[in-house]
Amino acid sequence: MDNEKYSNYPLSISAILGLIEANDIAIPEIQRPFVWKKTQVRDLIDSLYKGYPTGYLILWKNPNVKLKDGTISSGKKVLIDGQQRITALMTAVAGRTVFNSEYQEERIKIAFDPIAALSGEPDAEIFAVATPAIRKSKRWIPDIAELFKTSYSPFDFIPQYCEDNPGIDQRTLDRIITKLKGIANRMIGVIELSENLDIDIVTDIFIRINSKGTALSQGDFVMSKIAADEKHGGNTLRKVIDYFSHLAVVPSFYDYLASHDTAFAATPYLQKLKWLKDDTETVYDPECDDVIRVAFMHKLKRAKLSDLVSLLSGRNFETREFNEEIVEHTYEEFTEGVMNVINEYNFKRFMIAIKSAGFISSRLVNSNMALDFAYTIYLLLRESNEVPVEDIKRYVQKWYVLSVLTGRYSSSPESAFARDIRRIRESGVVAILKEIEDAQLSENFWNVALVQNLSYTSTNNPTYLVFLAAQIFFNDVSFLSNNVPVRELIALGGDVHHIFPKQYLIDHHFDKSLYNQEANYVFLDRPVNISIGKKGPNVYLKEAKERCLKGDSEQTGLVNSIDKLYANLETNCVPLEAMEMDFNSYETFLDKRRKMMAAKIKKYYYSL
């Protein structure tokens, strides 16, 4: 029936593996890292051997596509749930290699103990992950895949095993091995989603069913979709995205990739990734979802990844038909978008814009969403010539900082992306940025909302992170230091400290929610921290002032002139009144400093 969302039927494991081998069912994640533990593979084989249920597989038949000559091309079936189970069977039973978490190929070999199987004991260890000790044992069959090969001969194997293990006879061993090989005939339930289902629904089903196992996203669905499309080069494009994301984190993987994936190495894409072998960037390491999103947004001017799946399937949003021309056009645009994202010049120029705005460390970034859209802005401006090349950096910086300060992409980011892309498509980046500034960056925002946003305890609060970026942007010297900049302390992974020392406030009965306030946080060098100790600011700041007035420079690294002291306090948004403040004035101090921090952030934004 046309309105049925799915059908279900059983298939044997051997039939499923055969269909995959014949390419009738696409299992796109076979070349992505296998996330199951080896013991999970063992447990799956054990469950099949004992006849336990092992869940359903879910297939989605891609929509049929109208070709240019008017004929219909039948869509391929894609496995969208059960990929880990099937991959486990392909490596354990069919002897295929899988990629481990380091993107290196390996076989997961499951060993079988016929004598334990014969015992009938419920807790007997019948299967195990093969180890050196098991491989040396004559009792264990170290790799069950050998038994499933067409070259397997019971006439050679069984007599030899029984000779090595006199406690079991040939007939009994043959019966046990026949039962093991019966795994191939075990039936697994298959649910096949209708090709007539709206792709939004299929995407939703994909995410929901996979949320119970390894967490997956819409980006994973896109990867599954393109990996199954060898005709348009989607399988290779998936590798480009996957390898780029992995190399961004593990540059040393390049040499292994070049020598082990010879098919990919033969494509021009390997050279496009070569620059990553020397990459040291850690502020923004785009994951697969980030690459997909930025490529899609800047080239196809859309943001919903379910729309990308629809376009890759050939959907015409006006006629609701599926056409080959749309598939081809989408792959062309999307591939070009991916190439733009992974391009060395583009990526490095974008990172220069972000880092020169003060975001020099990954600890200053609590989400990639704002970075994704900022990179999209960069690529849009590069492509459109809307502004002079020298002005691109400024617009990228302002869009990024504004979106972080206002939490523009912190909730329902895809909807916010879609809204902004649509407006930019109609009016351009410059005009929309101006509209957003006029609508959101009012005096009330700077003087009230921003001050309130600095009333938290977390060092990951976006507003506080922007304040630190502002200090780096202005090249501020750290608190009470003579010459050590905040930039250096953050880059070296220094710790945040307290202006009113933590122990000082604890001794005066302040709880954690009060002494750990963002307005009490400051970066300072070790000599400064030692000089402060557990003293209140009314003590240690007076000591600093006296030292400066005397011109005492014996304590290396500490601020040593009165002018520098006053400038340092202003730079770090510490009110001069703090020199007279003890624990009784702590909350007054917090209020004053929050206002100074908000003012600094405002000055910073309009300096970009």
Side-chain angles (χ1 to χ4, degrees):
M1 295 173 62
D2 290 342
N3 61 350
E4 286 290 334
K5 290 183 171 59
Y6 65 88
S7 58
N8 60 77
Y9 50 87
L11 277 179
S12 69
I13 287 175
S14 60
I16 293 167
L17 294 179
L19 289 169
I20 291 169
E21 196 66 35
N23 214 23
D24 290 331
I25 295 177
I27 173 170
E29 306 312 312
I30 191 66
Q31 292 180 353
R32 298 197 73 194
F34 182 58
V35 300
W36 267 20
K37 296 176 181 177
K38 293 178 181 180
T39 51
Q40 289 178 283
V41 180
R42 176 204 64 197
D43 292 345
L44 175 65
I45 299 299
D46 188 63
S47 294
L48 289 167
Y49 179 80
K50 293 175 178 175
Y52 295 168
T54 54
Y56 278 82
L57 304 179
I58 301 184
L59 304 176
W60 172 50
K61 185 178 183 298
N62 280 202
N64 295 334
V65 176
K66 184 183 292 185
L67 302 178
K68 294 175 182 177
D69 63 3
T71 59
I72 300 296
S73 173
S74 180
K76 184 181 292 186
K77 295 177 181 179
V78 179
L79 183 67
I80 69 170
D81 185 45
Q83 291 175 355
Q84 297 297 313
R85 278 169 287 155
I86 292 300
T87 305
L89 289 169
M90 292 180 79
T91 189
V93 174
R96 292 271 295 267
T97 58
V98 295
F99 282 85
N100 62 22
S101 60
E102 301 300 321
Y103 279 69
Q104 295 179 348
E105 285 185 282
E106 69 171 348
R107 267 285 322 284
I108 297 176
K109 296 180 180 180
I110 302 302
F112 177 62
D113 182 349
I115 296 172
L118 180 62
S119 73
E121 296 178 7
D123 297 328
E125 186 182 22
I126 301 173
F127 296 95
V129 177
T131 64
I134 283 176
R135 282 191 284 271
K136 291 178 183 177
S137 170
K138 293 183 180 296
R139 171 170 168 161
W140 284 90
I141 299 172
D143 184 6
I144 63 171
E146 295 297 321
L147 303 177
F148 288 88
K149 288 182 177 179
T150 55
S151 59
Y152 165 73
S153 170
F155 302 108
D156 295 329
F157 178 81
I158 290 176
Q160 183 61 55
Y161 184 91
C162 291
E163 181 180 331
D164 294 334
N165 298 274
I168 188 169
D169 63 79
Q170 294 189 22
R171 180 175 296 181
T172 301
L173 179 61
D174 182 56
R175 176 170 52 81
I176 292 171
I177 289 178
T178 299
K179 180 180 178 182
L180 172 62
K181 294 186 69 175
I183 285 175
N185 299 318
R186 294 285 186 199
M187 305 301 285
I188 294 182
V190 175
I191 295 174
E192 184 173 322
L193 302 180
S194 169
E195 63 192 272
N196 298 317
L197 275 182
D198 188 275
I199 290 175
D200 281 342
I201 296 175
V202 178
T203 306
D204 190 36
I205 292 172
F206 175 83
I207 293 170
R208 289 189 185 200
I209 59 178
N210 282 291
S211 67
K212 300 296 185 292
T214 302
L216 296 177
S217 65
Q218 288 186 335
D220 290 296
F221 191 34
V222 173
M223 292 286 272
S224 294
K225 171 64 182 172
I226 63 175
D229 195 336
E230 297 178 16
K231 176 182 177 182
H232 299 97
N235 55 325
T236 302
L237 184 60
R238 181 205 61 76
K239 285 189 176 185
V240 174
I241 297 168
D242 214 346
Y243 287 155
F244 173 83
S245 297
H246 189 60
L247 284 165
V249 178
V250 188
S252 59
F253 174 67
Y254 180 84
D255 291 334
Y256 181 89
L257 165 61
S259 60
H260 284 73
D261 193 341
T262 53
F264 185 78
T267 71
Y269 298 120
L270 181 68
Q271 287 301 309
K272 295 181 185 297
L273 297 176
K274 189 175 182 179
W275 66 273
L276 287 163
K277 69 193 295 285
D278 302 312
D279 178 50
T280 57
E281 182 55 62
T282 59
V283 174
Y284 180 45
D285 289 326
E287 297 180 356
C288 295
D289 278 26
D290 303 309
V291 176
I292 291 168
R293 204 176 294 281
V294 176
F296 182 46
M297 288 194 293
H298 93 269
K299 283 305 295 182
L300 288 111
K301 310 298 187 294
R302 288 177 177 269
K304 289 181 62 179
L305 293 188
S306 59
D307 284 352
L308 176 56
V309 176
S310 294
L311 290 168
L312 291 168
S313 301
R315 184 178 185 180
N316 183 317
F317 287 105
E318 294 180 1
T319 66
R320 303 180 72 83
E321 293 181 337
F322 292 87
N323 300 310
E324 174 67 13
E325 292 93 331
I326 293 175
V327 178
E328 292 178 356
H329 173 74
T330 302
Y331 268 102
E332 287 173 6
E333 291 292 294
F334 184 54
T335 301
E336 184 178 343
V338 171
M339 294 305 107
N340 290 343
V341 172
I342 70 170
N343 178 270
E344 179 181 10
Y345 178 84
N346 286 341
F347 190 80
K348 288 185 173 179
R349 295 304 298 178
F350 170 66
M351 290 315 306
I352 287 172
I354 295 300
K355 294 173 88 166
S356 62
F359 297 90
I360 62 166
S361 168
S362 58
R363 67 191 298 181
L364 301 180
V365 177
N366 67 353
S367 170
N368 273 4
M369 288 301 181
L371 280 171
D372 286 351
F373 205 85
Y375 196 10
T376 301
I377 293 293
Y378 171 83
L379 294 172
L380 286 170
L381 291 175
R382 279 270 300 164
E383 197 170 71
S384 69
N385 298 316
E386 184 182 345
V387 300
V389 174
E390 60 271 20
D391 287 344
I392 292 177
K393 181 175 79 170
R394 182 166 64 90
Y395 282 102
V396 169
Q397 290 173 333
K398 296 192 84 167
W399 197 292
Y400 177 68
V401 174
L402 183 151
S403 62
V404 172
L405 282 177
T406 60
R408 192 166 189 82
Y409 307 119
S410 59
S411 63
S412 302
E414 191 174 74
S415 297
F417 288 158
R419 179 184 64 242
D420 286 347
I421 280 291
R422 183 176 63 252
R423 294 173 68 190
I424 288 170
R425 189 170 63 231
E426 295 168 353
S427 305
V429 172
V430 177
I432 298 306
L433 177 61
K434 181 66 167 58
E435 286 182 17
I436 296 171
E437 287 178 329
D438 291 345
Q440 293 195 277
L441 303 187
S442 63
E443 287 304 306
N444 188 62
F445 172 80
W446 295 115
N447 299 330
V448 180
L450 212 57
V451 173
Q452 293 174 346
N453 287 344
L454 289 164
S455 301
Y456 299 101
T457 62
S458 173
T459 54
N460 289 321
N461 174 16
T463 305
Y464 175 69
L465 297 178
V466 172
F467 170 73
L468 294 180
Q471 287 205 286
I472 293 167
F473 178 81
F474 289 123
N475 205 30
D476 289 349
V477 175
S478 60
F479 186 54
L480 296 184
S481 172
N482 192 43
N483 53 19
V484 178
V486 173
R487 170 188 295 270
E488 183 176 318
L489 295 177
I490 290 177
L492 294 174
D495 294 326
V496 69
H497 294 275
H498 299 73
I499 298 173
F500 276 70
K502 174 181 173 181
Q503 192 58 50
Y504 171 77
L505 292 174
I506 290 174
D507 290 344
H508 289 91
H509 313 296
F510 286 82
D511 63 32
K512 186 176 181 179
S513 65
L514 274 176
Y515 63 70
N516 278 346
Q517 280 285 313
E518 289 155 350
N520 195 31
Y521 293 151
V522 70
F523 275 87
L524 47 82
D525 199 13
R526 181 174 176 79
V528 176
N529 191 36
I530 292 172
S531 73
I532 290 174
K534 300 176 184 178
K535 294 173 283 191
N538 61 325
V539 176
Y540 72 75
L541 287 177
K542 282 183 180 178
E543 291 176 350
K545 183 177 180 180
E546 290 171 4
R547 187 171 58 249
C548 291
L549 289 170
K550 291 177 182 178
D552 181 4
S553 58
E554 288 185 7
Q555 290 183 277
T556 306
L558 304 184
V559 63
N560 56 15
S561 78
I562 198 69
D563 289 340
K564 281 187 176 181
L565 173 61
Y566 290 152
N568 184 275
L569 293 177
E570 182 179 357
T571 290
N572 287 280
C573 299
V574 177
L576 283 175
E577 301 96 307
M579 288 187 173
E580 308 296 331
M581 289 181 171
D582 62 10
F583 65 91
N584 291 304
S585 304
Y586 177 58
E587 295 194 50
T588 300
F589 162 80
L590 292 177
D591 183 57
K592 287 181 177 292
R593 188 166 190 245
R594 288 182 190 119
K595 291 175 180 177
M596 293 177 73
M597 292 167 75
K600 189 180 191 80
I601 293 172
K602 179 181 180 181
K603 177 185 176 183
Y604 158 71
Y605 180 79
Y606 288 111
S607 298
L608 293 171

